Amino acid sequence: MHTQTIAATPGSATPWSARPTEPLSDATLELVDGWWRAANYLSIGQIYLLDNPLLRRPLSREDVKPRLVGHWGTTPGLNFLYAHLNRAIVERSQPMIYITGPGHGGPGLVANAYLDGTYSEIYTDITQDDEGLHRLFQQFSFPGGIPSHVAPETPGSIHEGGELGYALSHAYGAAFDNPDLLVACVVGDGEAETGPLATSWHSNKFVNPAQDGVVLPILHLNGYKIANPTVLARIPEDELLDLMRGYGHKPHAFTGGFDGEDHAAVHRRFAELLDVVLDEIAEIKAKAAAGDLTRPKWPMIIMRTPKGWTCPPVIDGKQVENSWRSHQVPLSSARDTEAHLKVLEGWLKSYRADELFDATGHLVAELQATAPVGHLRMSDNPHANGGLLLHDLRLPDFRDFAVEVPVPGGSISEATKVLGQWLTEVIRLNPTNFRIFGPDETASNRLQSVYEVTDKQWNAEYLTTDEGEHLARAGRVMEMLSEHQCQGWLEGYLLTGRHGMFSCYEAFIHIVDSMFNQHAKWLKVSHEIPWRRPIASLNYLLSSHVWRQDHNGFSHQDPGFIDHVINKKAEIVRVYLPPDANTLLATYDHCLRSKDYVNVVVAGKQPAPNFLTMDQAVAHCARGLGIWEWAGTEKYREEPDVVLGCAGDVPTLETLAAADLLRQHLPDLTVRVVNVLDLMRLQDEAEHPHGLSDRDFDALFTRDKPVVFAYHGYPWLIHRLTYRRHGHANIHVRGYKEEGTTTTPFDMVMLNDLDRFHLVMDVIDRVPNLGSRAARLRQRMADARLEARQYTREHGEDMPSIANWAWPDAGNLATGIGAPPRGSSVVATGGDNE
Amino acid sequence: MHTQTIAATPGSATPWSARPTEPLSDATLELVDGWWRAANYLSIGQIYLLDNPLLRRPLSREDVKPRLVGHWGTTPGLNFLYAHLNRAIVERSQPMIYITGPGHGGPGLVANAYLDGTYSEIYTDITQDDEGLHRLFQQFSFPGGIPSHVAPETPGSIHEGGELGYALSHAYGAAFDNPDLLVACVVGDGEAETGPLATSWHSNKFVNPAQDGVVLPILHLNGYKIANPTVLARIPEDELLDLMRGYGHKPHAFTGGFDGEDHAAVHRRFAELLDVVLDEIAEIKAKAAAGDLTRPKWPMIIMRTPKGWTCPPVIDGKQVENSWRSHQVPLSSARDTEAHLKVLEGWLKSYRADELFDATGHLVAELQATAPVGHLRMSDNPHANGGLLLHDLRLPDFRDFAVEVPVPGGSISEATKVLGQWLTEVIRLNPTNFRIFGPDETASNRLQSVYEVTDKQWNAEYLTTDEGEHLARAGRVMEMLSEHQCQGWLEGYLLTGRHGMFSCYEAFIHIVDSMFNQHAKWLKVSHEIPWRRPIASLNYLLSSHVWRQDHNGFSHQDPGFIDHVINKKAEIVRVYLPPDANTLLATYDHCLRSKDYVNVVVAGKQPAPNFLTMDQAVAHCARGLGIWEWAGTEKYREEPDVVLGCAGDVPTLETLAAADLLRQHLPDLTVRVVNVLDLMRLQDEAEHPHGLSDRDFDALFTRDKPVVFAYHGYPWLIHRLTYRRHGHANIHVRGYKEEGTTTTPFDMVMLNDLDRFHLVMDVIDRVPNLGSRAARLRQRMADARLEARQYTREHGEDMPSIANWAWPDAGNLATGIGAPPRGSSVVATGGDNE
């Protein structure tokens, strides 16, 4: 395969050079026009033609596809840019990738990749001749063929064009740490109305002009959406220029192709503008190389061309070119009416394909020669197939960062802070291909030790008071208060072959639900495309989770991202709920080594007990779930009376506290505690690659004993995951219930009935024949709960006996938050001490 | 209650008047300062004090709350604005509401509502005296008390401050159709970085200056987020002004309170600026009243004040005021250290509360007199408790819009188009309190008949070619290509007492997952607050659904919004899947009459058969689900052999086709068809108000017969909803499987194994003892499926016998897409005709 051996920087490029000094000749521009016509022709062919690709015979109705799908409107503009960028690449040896926000213009990108040869290299059945053209046309948006949008199947793309809003974020993600790369990013004026796009212009405050590549935004105003004009095409020119200046850019406005403007003139004007812009960029890059890292006013282009440019201006008496009517398929009845068939034939012929393709159907040599070669082709730039460039991270041994756990519960840590210490070393060892993204929460989520070795990359203004605030022109931490931006940057960074993670408040990760969907779909499809190489996983670290919103309350409580995620393909998604610091370390090490997944890790940032030594943690992570024997009271060779399941740090703590109460007060009851770290293990092995066999599941949870399960999120998910299990009817789940605000940790678990007292009551309710002692204990649990509630209402904090509860074996070994002596248990002091 | 009788426009206001001509006196400004000091004092009191509210005795450690939660940083700025806006309201009798994007500043809004009396009117235990102050302080962010953010509990608010990004969208939603209302909207510089906020500035292109109210955006730059400077505070002033001009505003920049600037000077400068701005608005309004409806350059204010303004500048040697350190609680150890206690006491005393409150603890009369009265108080403006202003819609009889259904399947309709005809009449009858919001899809989703009576409201530029494009300065349809904007506008519109709906592509509604969460939480909490009146439901119409993405493919396929929605409180959410046009009409009539719900309605826009007459549809909607006897083959007094369940239009069609095949080929098999329209009916009655009793469920689905269920979305949801049912283990569900792109309708159902052939095979696999005839049929189903697949691969469209399949009774009565004669069934023609 041609992709086997490549360098990180393609070819012998000398990026950021000025163009050769000879003037731009008409001959060169004619070739640019030829390429454009060829790309337009092939785009229309894909949308319309089932056969007769080069019109070697008169067009017949049967040559036309029965179902016309695809989008013409944006395509000629995309093709125009592609042709012009090709010239610049060749003249300047400038590595470049092309991001098409208006991804509906899929036929255009396919056409260009076909013209420059990449398409046939990758899809060897789509040859560069009549027969290949026939297949190229037929497969487009056809059952079993390729999608109508830019997609993973499209060579040169890292950006699916279905859902709008993320083109610039992806572009900047691709540019970070790729100092030689130019990312040409077309922003459609429809997309420009979306929120994520509207804020992504500010990405330029986060770019380092020396160490990062360059994004050239091209705002393509063709004026219309599906059925409306666009906002940015309908504000006065001075407002639009102000807007772009306000975003920090130097805008260059270009209008071409209207009122029958001669194409040669349009080409010349645009080519000259592009040279000006690229020279400005070269100048900025030279300055940066000389040490000036302050934020320049990066150039950008506003390009106004007619929507549907070069299609028949008027069809059936209605304006089509330069109207929303050319958004999809301007001509819908070519198979049904002779009149439309003629219009289509005339339209196709207007591109003079006979000048563009030779007798075999191959692009004529003269045009072929204008394309960049090898990896300088935008369709073959390895950055757009990032797995080709991926280097595994150099990972420090996470075991070296272990916290001491003399006995279960015998020490206290902030789990994410411990993770931060390991991440600090990860950053030190991988200074150019790993970044942490987050809205404003790296320190809030306790990862602040990373600032010992890096800073937050910031290229807006500085004040003298910023000293010591860890802001720098270059840094591995990217913080902007937009989850969309963080996700988009990270996706762009990963898709171009690097590594990273997204640290976010749990509740607000829903802001990127839809972006996650699209990335998961991208990964799913890429899996099925042999030439797409695996990329690093997208790793979430969700902290400030639902159970600890002491500062914030109801609006900050939502554990539903997990539910959202598991609707996507099982081979893509992984969900981990490490119960303590060592398990979090082992989990994240695994995540940063993995490829092509989305890993969702939920972990607490508040001081909490550690339960497992590092050796135990490694084993627990490897199993993904397991019996915590030390917490249970099982007898040799007997099944327990009840299983306490738990997943998530707070539910695990409550479960252990419940186990403690049961051990004290119902000593004859045999209890098993099962902790679930890898949530996907609960599923059937047929449902998920991590799924347990029924036999293994039964061995842990029994086939018929009651299971009381305390879960981090919405309880239904556990039922969903265990739906096919033998014992599923016996599983009782407690989790988050959308019950509103509160401000102390134990009050929060009480509000949702996830507290230790409820768990004990659940056991008593479900294990048969426990007798009167259990009945009395049940009553006392209810009383203890009321007492605890009353205490928070009076004092504004949790009862010390609850806040400081520690696993009994932990005794006085606990550090940090002191563990009280055993006798202080809220129930043991209740009087009726059995 | 004071809220029983009120007019839509509060009091005898004469909005948009200029202020009285007498100059702004120092005495007036001193009173503004007094109000500000009082509000600041009460804000700090809420965050810190458990007792001793007016420092009648020296502050002791026990007076300080043990857990300090809340956000000081943004609060003094919010209080400053509130005090100044109060003056303007009084002088101009201008009805105004106050939207606080930085909603973390909850203590400030509570403080102001307390000062102007509303708080004590609503919460009668929080009296205006020492004791009331004690309770006011204690309840703040305290277990069982009120949240730390602006929330439904906060009088005068329609905007929860937890998740950032939607302040301006909410503000514009409130302003639409409220011509006399001024919406003062504070945008925090943190929030300004979010995507939704970044695009919401463009709302001004959608405002009609005569018929709508006015939004006054106040960009409050206090410079810092949790741990970072903000982008907009760190770009050069000229860029910031350009940005605001680019957004279409006339920016007024104000900087105050830095470097020890005298407060009196700050007040004077700001008050004068505010008067200039309000005069500019009055002028625009006067012009509009005189007929000039072109988009003016609306003024906005950029207000720079120090973060944490008026708190101790330096604590423990570290800069706190004007630093991110004042974001939450600037002083954290007042309960623990004498030094911090003294700092806190000094800080509190700096506001000179003894001048502000009298001996009883009541605000001094002089200050009290400066507040607006009655509904002119921003905290008591009825627009901020929209249910007070809500009028039921005048709804045309949906029965008049019924489609004819001579026999089941006997006619063809585009369901949403039929709905559009009814909505057209809804709009005609409700010209000022109903709007349709959508990204760009009102026509695409086939609601275009509404343009017979209204237009798309558009106040950007017009071209001569816009003639006939249904754009107008005033119109009931609001389209901008931002789902965030549509959702935010609609929420603001509903929360201020009007009605509306959001028409969206199904896949992309996930873009607003997080906004839905927050709105559902708002409704849930509002339910529990007696003074919050019910508001109109938020109605989604999701079309272009997962099964009909012929044009678009994988990126446009996601039915998971339903899964997302049902994690919220059952009393809030409703999900409807009407199977045809008449049921869609009846469903939507119900939705537009309902209050305080989120109604999710998924309906197709493509031509599809109608199954129920209007009378049947009304009955079916009332039941929410039911047996379609005409489709089954049950025998009198016997349970069927198998139940075919279905929910969603495409799954219903496939189910009926399967029932047809079974009837033809296994005539002895008794089949029941149950269609589910109201998805929540599947749940247990204890889980959801719509839930069926077990007895009713069993009567429909049986306790033990196999159920083959064809569902619109991810199959797990049906398992989740029926989890507690007797027969749940017998329910086999087919639904969407994330299988990637395709371009014909039947190919799509085949790709997901939801096709009629699979359903028949499922029945054969699950009903015992069907014998060899069934085994042969099973084989033929598999063959028919392969044949159908092969056909699409060759022809790019579905086999006519499948595409044109019609329910047999429909015979030749079908209109539109012709129903073939019975013999054309793909299986019947297969040769082995039994």
Side-chain angles (χ1 to χ4, degrees), chain B residues 10-306:
Chain B
S12 56
T14 52
W16 317 123
S17 57
R19 69 176 292 272
T21 48
E22 67 266 25
L24 198 56
S25 73
D26 287 344
T28 300
L29 291 174
E30 246 174 68
L31 291 168
V32 169
D33 183 67
W35 187 281
W36 183 43
R37 284 189 283 131
N40 284 341
Y41 182 86
L42 296 187
S43 302
I44 300 161
Q46 291 175 73
I47 295 172
Y48 286 96
L49 297 187
L50 208 49
D51 203 352
N52 194 11
L54 286 173
L55 302 187
R56 307 270 189 208
R57 50 179 169 75
L59 192 65
S60 77
R61 291 192 194 176
E62 291 67 39
D63 294 334
V64 179
K65 293 185 175 181
R67 292 167 58 81
L68 299 174
V69 285
H71 294 78
W72 167 249
T74 186
T75 302
L78 296 178
N79 290 340
F80 179 88
L81 283 167
Y82 206 102
H84 279 268
L85 292 171
N86 265 355
R87 178 189 66 87
I89 290 168
V90 170
E91 290 182 356
R92 296 168 191 251
S93 297
Q94 175 61 55
M96 203 183 293
I97 63 171
Y98 191 57
I99 290 188
T100 44
H104 289 49
L109 276 288
V110 170
N112 283 290
Y114 178 83
L115 289 172
D116 67 19
T118 307
Y119 210 87
S120 303
E121 292 167 20
I122 289 174
Y123 302 109
T124 49
D125 60 322
I126 310 287
T127 44
Q128 289 188 296
D129 53 23
D130 276 48
E131 182 50 31
L133 278 172
H134 170 79
R135 278 199 282 266
L136 180 77
F137 287 4
Q138 189 186 25
Q139 69 168 6
F140 175 78
S141 210
F142 203 78
I146 63 168
S148 65
H149 299 171
V150 180
E153 290 91 339
T154 316
S157 175
I158 60 163
H159 178 80
E160 220 281 355
E163 182 171 302
L164 302 177
Y166 320 122
L168 271 177
S169 298
H170 284 168
Y172 279 95
F176 294 136
D177 292 320
N178 272 327
D180 294 341
L181 185 67
L182 181 67
V183 185
C185 179
V186 189
V187 177
D189 48 355
E191 173 168 32
E193 294 178 19
T194 66
L197 199 290
T199 204
S200 63
W201 295 103
H202 289 299
S203 298
N204 55 31
K205 283 92 192 175
F206 297 86
V207 164
N208 179 303
Q211 163 197 293
D212 297 327
V214 176
V215 174
L216 172 59
I218 301 162
L219 177 62
H220 183 203
L221 300 182
N222 66 29
Y224 296 91
K225 296 170 286 196
I226 305 179
N228 278 297
T230 57
V231 171
L232 295 192
R234 295 293 186 94
I235 60 176
E237 185 83 357
D238 64 331
E239 272 188 28
L240 182 59
L241 293 171
D242 278 345
L243 186 63
M244 290 300 130
R245 284 187 205 108
Y247 277 132
H249 279 292
K250 177 178 178 186
H252 296 266
F254 177 84
T255 302
F258 292 93
D259 306 320
E261 185 186 11
D262 178 50
H263 290 175
V266 187
H267 286 306
R268 175 160 291 280
R269 289 197 299 113
F270 190 81
E272 287 172 357
L273 172 65
L274 187 59
D275 281 334
V276 167
V277 166
L278 293 177
D279 288 348
E280 283 178 7
I281 289 172
E283 205 176 307
I284 291 170
K285 273 298 211 181
K287 263 196 196 164
D292 181 357
L293 299 179
T294 54
R295 174 169 66 91
K297 291 195 191 290
W298 294 103
M300 62 80 61
I301 296 173
I302 299 168
M303 181 174 105
R304 289 182 200 263
T305 61

Side-chain angles (χ1 to χ4, degrees), chain B residues 1-6 122 375 380 382 385 388 530-531 533:
Chain B
M1 261 312 266
H2 73 295
T3 46
Q4 290 303 317
T5 56
I6 46 152
I122 289 174
H375 293 318
D380 191 32
N385 183 9
L388 290 171
W531 60 268
R533 296 288 185 84

